[in-house]
Amino acid sequence: MGGKVDLEPILEELDAASALDGLEQTNRRLRDTLGIDHIVYHWVDSAGDQYGCTTYPQSWVDRYLTQNYHRIDPVILGCFQRFHPVDWKRLDWSGKAAKAFLKDAMEHGVGNQGFSIPIRGPNGQFALFTVNNSCDDSTWSDFTATYSRDLILIAHYFNRKALEFEANRQPEFSRTLSPREVDAMTLLALGYNRAQVAHSLSISEHTLRVYIESARFKLGALNTTHAIATAMSRGLIVV
């Protein structure tokens, strides 16, 4: 975990992946490139079915599944309520079940530090992209500050590829956004407020609202934040 490394080759490798085993290989390469312990792409659907692309030990993966840990995992529960990346230290580990889960995880080789990125897919689908390591708080803080933006982009690449390979996880159809809707959603995703977006696009805020509502409807989103997350997860916008 020294100086920052160029992750562009990883993105190119993800683009070129044509099967799930390609994601597994890229996952391991990304872990080694970043010099951390583990990287996980974890999917849980509404029926409780799970899919994983992980570098965790198989013994932990098996135990996680047999114990149905997704029902009590503070990372799953905490991130399901969020749209933004979160450091594990910000999650609630105070409960008895959570403490027992964390103890079990660390005994199976899971590191004490984690950074998870929630991903909202089509039709309300939910996934997590997590980087995990064993180190002190200061080292981990430096790492997440250095790589958070890159990891967010890679997380959405992973999800988009996984959706391509798993046909039964895709929606029956996907409406595309217009160029203006893409522009509006991209600027909002970058943190611009509505007035700034309208000024940048040389349109009124009323017209901007029409674009946003149209995009939200096409994406089946509950609100603007959900629409942005959904557009990113489908690869319709890239921040």
Side-chain angles (χ1 to χ4, degrees):
M1 296 175 68
K4 185 173 183 180
V5 296
D6 180 16
L7 298 181
E8 189 63 32
I10 300 293
L11 292 174
E12 293 175 358
E13 189 172 308
L14 276 172
D15 263 338
S18 57
L20 290 174
D21 59 354
L23 288 186
E24 295 278 2
Q25 293 172 12
T26 302
N27 202 28
R28 290 192 292 272
R29 183 181 171 198
L30 177 59
R31 174 200 62 189
D32 296 342
T33 299
L34 292 174
I36 57 177
D37 292 344
H38 299 294
I39 296 179
V40 185
Y41 169 77
H42 185 198
W43 167 272
V44 182
D45 68 16
S46 58
D49 293 328
Q50 300 180 67
Y51 163 84
C53 176
T54 178
T55 63
Y56 281 152
Q58 190 59 46
S59 60
W60 173 240
V61 174
D62 293 340
R63 181 159 179 78
Y64 191 100
L65 293 173
T66 58
Q67 295 293 319
N68 285 320
Y69 270 152
H70 68 280
R71 299 176 184 273
I72 62 169
D73 184 348
V75 179
I76 294 288
L77 299 179
C79 288
F80 191 74
Q81 303 170 34
R82 291 173 164 83
F83 287 95
H84 302 294
V86 61
D87 190 287
W88 285 9
K89 290 188 289 294
R90 294 180 174 273
L91 299 172
D92 183 7
W93 300 89
S94 61
K96 183 178 180 181
K99 289 178 179 177
F101 165 78
L102 181 60
K103 181 175 183 293
D104 197 10
M106 294 181 69
E107 288 176 351
H108 281 82
V110 177
N112 64 314
Q113 306 282 1
F115 181 77
S116 293
I117 300 164
I119 308 167
R120 311 289 168 171
N123 293 344
Q125 295 164 335
F126 171 73
L128 277 179
F129 184 83
T130 293
V131 288
N132 174 257
N133 197 47
S134 295
C135 61
D136 59 68
D137 288 352
S138 177
T139 300
W140 188 245
S141 179
D142 289 343
F143 172 81
T144 55
T146 301
Y147 287 107
S148 60
R149 289 179 180 272
D150 299 286
L151 292 172
I152 291 168
L153 181 60
I154 288 173
H156 287 283
Y157 265 68
F158 257 89
N159 196 57
R160 186 175 68 184
K161 277 295 181 179
L163 288 171
E164 287 178 10
F165 302 150
E166 294 287 289
N168 63 335
R169 296 168 61 198
Q170 282 279 27
E172 292 182 2
F173 65 92
S174 179
R175 299 184 182 182
T176 58
L177 301 181
S178 72
R180 273 304 205 188
E181 289 165 355
V182 169
D183 290 342
M185 300 302 285
T186 299
L187 290 173
L188 288 170
L190 286 168
Y192 287 51
N193 61 39
R194 293 197 178 203
Q196 291 170 324
V197 173
H199 177 73
S200 297
L201 299 180
S202 299
I203 58 176
S204 68
E205 288 192 48
H206 174 75
T207 301
L208 173 63
R209 182 177 179 181
V210 173
Y211 288 138
I212 293 172
E213 288 303 304
S214 175
R216 188 177 67 80
F217 175 78
K218 289 179 179 180
L219 297 167
L222 300 175
N223 52 43
T224 303
T225 304
H226 187 196
I228 293 168
T230 302
M232 289 179 66
S233 72
R234 295 189 194 178
L236 300 177
I237 63 173
V238 177
V239 178

